[in-house]
């Protein structure tokens, strides 16, 4: 059996060729099993939560703590996760729900991140790259489109290629999806609006729907064993007003301060990721 | 005598109160002397330069190498640096030149960064914060203005305060300067254009002149002892065309690929930092 990192690397190789490959789904399920076996042998320690109405814990081995894990979203039973994923990949959405899909995807993503947290010191790159593979796989399968990560920019006198986040081209007369993927955003999030602005400028506003996918915004104080979330909703509003418009922001563990942006005017549409699978076909009909 | 880090911290305390304080200039000169004494006791090792027409070396102690240092820009004689700085602070610019000021400021900045490189492991925060103090001090003294680091954003229904890079308010009927400061830019530079875009949106285009100040763009392979520079001029052109307009980009060690952006249309004005002191009074007369 491959190690967790071995499976992660195999997914990376396959995703470059064909991110819709069903073998990748199987590898994510296998990766989840491997991670859960590792996590079954370490302790869970409850955190003091400074986030209203949310409880968190960490996995802990002799040396280290994992990142904070949302107790309500984390599914203890591995089979329940796999059942939900099967409903998702068979497009049998009536037998599950947005909430169950969000929890299943959260559990799979955070389990791998926790394993890396416990094994490597300060490695942010592996969880970040993993989460890019993970999020883009479900979008690629759902949309039946292979994402690209560069677009042509016409500078009149010569063409250049601009590296981008994932772009899903849905074909003529339909929008393209600009899909930045982040485990957390913090102060770097302005880049997402700036990239959207470049796409709007190059191709015209409305051609690319910006959909940001995030894991969570928790920050853990490892000494006090306290968890809080870092949210900058007023800055998001300024970016949405003055840089460009994001069409959706999807979270696996959505902070309530960002969900509240649905209720301001003009709103920013922040949703749990599971809702994407229920709204996807309406989204691209007549936008 | 204070240590290098002690002087750096003292500068930080003073700059928050009054960034124009002449005592800060004295501390930068003292800091440079302290750093040069430290660097006098370690070896210089030439690097293999992959950058055309530029030579670099590193300082090396038993454990570590410093960042790459440009041999032409680095002034060996400490007194020469201080003489140039005295011309600068006395506004006696006819007795020196843009090139000499750039070299003196480069020597002071890179010496402190090299000392931190040799003493601390992977500390990027201290050189970055130092360089913010350093660049903003010369702007504050030259403009006789205390910078601020937040601006009000009017959201119609309520005011909010947006954190920013340094903002110099030159008063009514004159532009304000938006001064981001970076030791190097890499892929994070899109933030600078995005912040400029927010300022243009909130206050109107032309109200804020964006002036980015950078140290260098070198990247050193510590095993091969090779130095190269990471430049993305086509991406800068896309940002300048589609996000916002920067008015100047000043470098202490200006990469030739960015200097070449002066010669494209529409140009991006990239210059050695010393030129700022010669053009400053023309810049703000009738812009």
């Amino acid at each position: 059996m491959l190690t967790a990192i071995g499976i992660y690397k195999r997914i990376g190789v396959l995703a470059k060729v064909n991110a819709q490959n069903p073998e990748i789904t199987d590898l994510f399920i296998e990766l989840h099993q491997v991670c859960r076996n590792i996590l079954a042998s370490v302790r869970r320690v409850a955190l003091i939560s400074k986030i209203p109405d949310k409880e968190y814990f960490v996995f802990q081995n002799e040396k280290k703590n994992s990142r904070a894990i949302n107790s309500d979203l984390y599914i203890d039973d591995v089979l329940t996760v796999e059942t939900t994923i099967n409903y998702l990949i068979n497009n049998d959405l009536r037998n599950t729900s947005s909430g169950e899909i969000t929890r299943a995807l959260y559990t799979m993503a955070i389990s791998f991140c926790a394993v890396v947290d416990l094994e490597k010191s300060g490695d942010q790159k592996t969880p970040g790259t993993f989460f890019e593979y993970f999020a883009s796989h479900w979008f690629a399968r759902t949309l039946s489109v292979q994402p690209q990560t560069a677009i042509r920019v016409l500078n009149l006198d010569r063409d250049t290629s601009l590296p981008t986040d994932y772009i899903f081209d849905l074909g003529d007369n339909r929008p393209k999806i600009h899909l930045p993927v982040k485990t957390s955003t913090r102060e770097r999030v302005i880049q997402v609006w700036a990239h959207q602005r470049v796409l709007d400028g190059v191709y015209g506003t409305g051609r690319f729907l910006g959909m940001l996918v995030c894991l969570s915004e928790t920050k853990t104080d490892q000494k006090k064993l306290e968890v809080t979330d870092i949210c900058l909703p007023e800055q998001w509003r300024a970016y949405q007003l003055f840089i460009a418009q994001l069409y959706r922001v999807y979270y696996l563990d959505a902070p309530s301060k960002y969900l509240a942006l649905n209720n301001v005017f003009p709103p920013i549409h922040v949703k749990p990721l599971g809702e994407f699978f229920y709204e996807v076909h309406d989204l691209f009909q007549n936008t």
Side-chain angles (χ1 to χ4, degrees), chain A residues 43-59:
Chain A
R43 291 198 301 167
R44 291 189 193 192
V45 178
L47 295 174
I48 299 161
S49 176
K50 299 288 181 183
I51 306 170
D53 304 322
K54 289 188 178 185
E55 296 302 322
Y56 288 84
F57 67 89
V58 292
F59 288 106

Side-chain angles (χ1 to χ4, degrees), chain A residues 51-99:
Chain A
I51 306 170
D53 304 322
K54 289 188 178 185
E55 296 302 322
Y56 288 84
F57 67 89
V58 292
F59 288 106
Q60 185 177 65
N61 64 15
E62 307 75 44
K63 288 178 289 188
K64 300 189 66 194
N65 293 339
S66 74
R67 67 193 60 200
I69 295 172
N70 183 312
S71 308
D72 282 338
L73 292 173
Y74 194 76
I75 300 172
D76 275 307
D77 180 45
V78 175
L79 275 181
T80 304
V81 172
E82 293 178 13
T83 303
T84 302
I85 296 300
N86 276 317
Y87 288 134
L88 175 62
I89 61 182
N90 293 316
N91 201 25
D92 189 4
L93 297 181
R94 284 166 308 174
N95 281 316
T96 180
S97 67
S98 159

Side-chain angles (χ1 to χ4, degrees), chain A residues 16-213:
Chain A
K16 278 196 182 61
V17 180
N18 177 11
Q20 308 164 54
N21 189 344
E23 203 183 321
I24 297 177
T25 313
D26 297 340
L27 284 168
F28 276 124
I29 290 170
E30 184 186 342
L31 179 58
H32 181 232
Q33 293 163 348
V34 170
C35 291
R36 294 298 290 259
N37 285 339
I38 294 168
L39 296 174
S41 69
V42 300
R43 291 198 301 167
R44 291 189 193 192
V45 178
L47 295 174
I48 299 161
S49 176
K50 299 288 181 183
I51 306 170
D53 304 322
K54 289 188 178 185
E55 296 302 322
Y56 288 84
F57 67 89
V58 292
F59 288 106
Q60 185 177 65
N61 64 15
E62 307 75 44
K63 288 178 289 188
K64 300 189 66 194
N65 293 339
S66 74
R67 67 193 60 200
I69 295 172
N70 183 312
S71 308
D72 282 338
L73 292 173
Y74 194 76
I75 300 172
D76 275 307
D77 180 45
V78 175
L79 275 181
T80 304
V81 172
E82 293 178 13
T83 303
T84 302
I85 296 300
N86 276 317
Y87 288 134
L88 175 62
I89 61 182
N90 293 316
N91 201 25
D92 189 4
L93 297 181
R94 284 166 308 174
N95 281 316
T96 180
S97 67
S98 159
E100 279 311 298
I101 292 172
T102 301
R103 293 178 71 210
L105 295 177
Y106 177 81
T107 303
M108 292 172 79
I110 206 90
S111 295
F112 178 77
C113 294
V115 165
V116 175
D117 293 341
L118 291 175
E119 295 194 353
K120 289 196 177 185
S121 183
D123 180 358
Q124 288 301 311
K125 194 168 178 297
T126 300
T129 306
F130 160 81
F131 193 58
E132 288 176 0
Y133 298 157
F134 188 74
S136 62
H137 174 62
W138 306 112
F139 274 74
R141 272 203 82 146
T142 303
L143 301 168
S144 302
V145 172
Q146 172 72 4
Q148 58 196 84
T149 56
I151 56 154
R152 286 171 58 222
V153 176
L154 299 170
N155 270 348
L156 296 181
D157 37 0
R158 56 176 163 171
D159 284 11
T160 62
S161 179
L162 195 72
T164 63
D165 300 294
Y166 292 108
I167 301 286
F168 292 88
D169 185 344
L170 304 183
D172 286 351
N173 270 315
R174 302 183 78 197
K176 301 179 202 313
I177 297 179
H178 166 222
L179 192 86
V181 177
K182 311 273 179 197
T183 53
S184 69
T185 65
R186 310 287 161 83
E187 73 288 351
R188 293 166 289 116
V189 76
I190 195 172
Q191 294 179 359
V192 172
W193 272 272
H195 283 129
Q196 181 66 37
R197 173 89 205 167
V198 172
L199 293 172
D200 289 350
V202 172
Y203 287 94
T205 304
R207 301 289 297 278
F208 284 80
L209 302 181
M211 296 185 156
L212 169 61
V213 179

